[in-house]
Amino acid sequence: MTEVGRPRKRKEDARLLTGRTQWTDNLRQPGMLHVAFLRSPMAHARITRVDVSGARGLPGVVAAFGGQDLAGEQGSLPCAWPVTEDVIIPDHPPMAVSEVRYVGEAVACVVATDRYLAADALEAIEVDYEPLPAVIDLAEALAEGSPKVHEEGNKAYSMKITTGDIDAAFQDAPVVIDRTYVQQRLIGAAMEPRAVVATTDGDSFTLWSSTQIPHVLRVMLALTTGIPEHKLRVIAPDVGGGFGTKLQVTAEEVLCLLLTRRLGKPIKWNESRSEGNLTVHQGRGQIQHIRLAAEADGRIRGLQVDLLADMGAYLVLLTPGIPLLGATMFNAIYKMDAYEFGCTGVFTTKMPTDAYRGAGRPEATFGIERIMDELAAELNVDPLEVRRRNWIKHEEFPYTTISGLTYDSGNYEAATEKALSLFGYDKLRAEQSDRRDRGDPVQLGIGVSTFTEMCGLAPSKLLGAARFAAGGWEHGSVRMLPTGKVEVITGTSPHGQGHVTAWSQIVADALGVPFEDVAVVHGDTAISHKGLDTYGSRSLVVGGVAVLQACEKVREKARRLAAHALECSPEDLDFAEGAFTVRGTDSRRTIQELAFAAFTAHDLPDGVEPSLDSDATFDPDNYSFPHGTHLCAAEVDTETGLVKIRSYVAVDDIGKVVNPMIVEGQVHGGIAQGIAQALFEEAVYDAEGNLLTSTLADYLVPSAADLPDFTTDRTETPATSNPLGAKGVGEAGTIASTPAVVNAIVDALRPYGVQDITMPCTPERIWRAVEGARP
Amino acid sequence: MIPAQFGYTRPGSLAEACQELAADEEAKVLAGGQSLLPLLRMRLAYPTKLVDVGRLPELAGVHDRGDHVFIGAMATHDEVLRSGVVNADCPLVALATATVADPAVRHRGTFGGSLAHADPAGDVPAVVLALDGVLVARSADGERDIPAAEFFVDYLESSLRQGEILVGVKIPKLGAGWGFHYEKFQRTAQAWAIVGVAAAVRRSNGAIQESRIALTNMAPTPVRAHATETALAGMDLGGEVRQACAEAAADTSPPGDLHAQPDYRRHLARVLTHRAVRKAAGSV
């Protein structure tokens, strides 16, 4: 039995579950100092005075600085995605110097001998602010005469892409649906808050951070701080969740490095939960104006999307590019003649937005899957039937979509059929109709989401064409140790995904070694010397493939060693179960024996270097395109507005599966996070720019008690763009589930004339919608 | 978040604890810490000293006292909801306590702490009010009984005086013929109640003879729905119960916050009171 495909329990878990972890906050360095940041209570203000002298004399305080003290050396936080030629990328000092632009922006800091004393001393710092008007609403921000977030204006960029004749598509169209949807801002709320430790030996620097991107971070920190790249080592030790929020170069990382450079001592920072709610970049934040033109039978003629995307106060690492990850995804699995995508990035006096699980793709999927339901309602056709009439048929793959992507494979029919049978669709429709007839105060709704996404970020040349500053390749290194064990170094940076286990399964199959004999090392730029880290469901599809390709190189080298030892030609050797056998004989060498021979190097064939190891770097030709059909049945109590998800079926096609148990976990967590957007979570700012959801009592992250059982299954249509045939699963559940849930709620309330509920669909919003519709 | 510096003392006797509190106006009683510690950590409270009453024997346990159950102030929610006498003789207390936050909080948080904190969004205050509980407070001057109706004064404010410590609460046993329900409406399982309704209903010959209804989070204090109680007296469980329950929001002044505006809370109070009364009546 192959290892790939087995539901292996994760190698990581015994250690994680028994607390033998190394979170950044567990690190202790001799002489380590602690920094605490004073944060702006104002959304927008001129800083007229910062006086840290009161803090300097307090017990335990070693140093205190305002932004002005660091202005000469702190640089500007980087944005790596200048999406258009004229995008405005404002200067972004890690510590505000003359103006603050969101609540929570750091304005001063205290370095002390312990964390508590540092926090106490913050209260002795005096800052004078001259208030400036907050800029909150996206449309108002663009209106003439709006107060400005930056002198250059509130429009960061604007772009439009049109394919096909969009005017013709809409002209005389039998059906035009016009809707505006709001993607609320979300807070990632990773289990482990951010933490940083920076040290120096006077010449070189080491930075530990709870980050998803040690490699990218090293490059960006070198560019930002001027510390030469070869003098900077970045380590991501155990990292407890990220969801995109740790795909960032943060002010705190830069400031810890600067403080350690200035003070010559190790510096630690660990954020509190409420500090994180304020200052971890947020996700989503879009107003989507969508128009869809269709024939009378529901076939789509054209789709027009116009986004206002909330950038927040600055452009951080990927801010302007996130909505554009949806640019090629609004057309989703559907065929159409014309498509137009427009997006305007808007500055506001709020925390910057950036990647959050799905990043641009959930927003797009929500928009199209919601409006497909509206089209179905308009035509009085079953929502799945409308989709069927428009989706790309199995026999049409590979298929180049209206937005220019080539979907290599897919089978929407098979996933949908499987989902329907697991769900009991017809029976639920019958119950729905019965409840409607009876006027039951608890109505039943059925929500459909037939999604796809582009994963496996990414072909470097496509990223280049999109003006992204880096490539999308990944690196893997595989070395057989003298005793026959295997050490794998990966450029991916897992923070909960289980790469150690999955990579071990791939290597065990490729080299014929026991699963237990494989170790996987990651997350340290001094050891894993190149890589592009973990985000966008890329790790297996790009990084896992790199490891597989490194294994193949190792195997080919081993074949030469075996041929030499067995005195035959390499072509005469069969490789199976970790050994090369001379075909038709029982002469064999195990790969472990060959590893030892390569180590001693006493008798190597000409031109073969000692040591049995190899590196590979994989750059895919295309994205991968997971897809699936999710169905949700929701009961809506029209008297209270409460939603109860009664059943949820997810059939995902993520191609070849390495570890079904890890996949199951990813799908469950993903669905939970998508449901969270639909029902529970929103970062709420008031008109003055104060974050009203700075604690988890106000920002409602659901727990298992708030979620239904999930029925999950798969179809398997392998990707053709990589040799594993895998497509990626990190974001699928999140992308699919949000529209499935909202579609179910709106479906339940359709008889009341309800066409939309703004997310999160709180009981109060639902109650008001129902009340508003009552005669 | 990190609290500002504070002193800490754990007196060995109730008398000593009363003295500590009487001597320092800025001292605070520390019970289970589930409300106080977040306030400290968010620097919304700066007490000079915490007087930890967690190990005082007078405040411990749940006791059967014949015509009433005495719940010691330091009994945890978990102890209360597992108590045999509570389940047998004051089941409404167990029903509501089971909805408090999550198991971790219920193992730390105390029944008395929840009452003394006087948060109208807490589940326990409304229940004690509905059941006409009597709170027992001790100070250097001695012990006094405070009826629940006089205990809750305002938002996070009780009638406990400087130097007074809540020892426990007497919950009268209601006897046969009563049914109970606590209807809690919340957005997530661990969240505070948006609105809660504690209902005790006595039925005989098919009609509601008597009811006691108190509301969670509908005013700065827990409040009794007296108008509904009066309207329900003698009523059959037929059609007019809903109208009687529509009076539930009459004397309320609910807060408006992220989770609900006042008009929605009033609406919920009416709907949930109806549900609570029906369930309580049906559970006889």
Side-chain angles (χ1 to χ4, degrees), chain A residues 147-171:
Chain A
K148 288 179 181 174
V149 181
H150 296 280
E151 263 179 36
E152 302 92 319
N154 292 339
K155 188 162 87 175
Y157 70 94
S158 191
M159 58 103 72
K160 188 179 276 189
I161 306 165
T162 310
T163 323
D165 189 341
I166 195 76
D167 294 332
F170 277 84
Q171 195 163 26

Side-chain angles (χ1 to χ4, degrees), chain B residues 110-185:
Chain B
T110 63
F111 201 79
S114 180
L115 291 167
H117 187 54
D119 188 335
D123 301 297
V124 169
V127 169
V128 171
L129 184 66
L131 295 176
D132 291 327
V134 175
L135 294 98
V136 182
R138 181 86 67 87
S139 71
D141 302 333
E143 197 166 277
R144 66 177 179 125
D145 284 355
I146 311 168
E150 294 163 24
F151 184 78
F152 303 104
V153 176
D154 206 340
Y155 182 69
L156 303 186
E157 194 183 327
S158 75
S159 57
L160 286 174
R161 297 171 189 144
Q162 171 73 33
E164 232 174 12
I165 290 175
L166 182 67
V167 178
V169 56
K170 301 175 192 167
I171 310 281
K173 296 181 182 176
L174 282 180
W178 286 86
F180 305 96
H181 187 72
Y182 185 66
E183 184 79 17
K184 182 173 181 174
F185 191 83

Side-chain angles (χ1 to χ4, degrees), chain A residues 30 44 150 252 262 264 349 353 404 423 441 446 522 551 618 670 696 701 773:
Chain A
H44 197 192
H150 296 280
E252 293 82 2
R262 199 176 263 221
T349 52
T353 57
F423 190 64
I446 294 168
H522 57 79
C551 286
F618 178 65
L696 295 184
V701 178

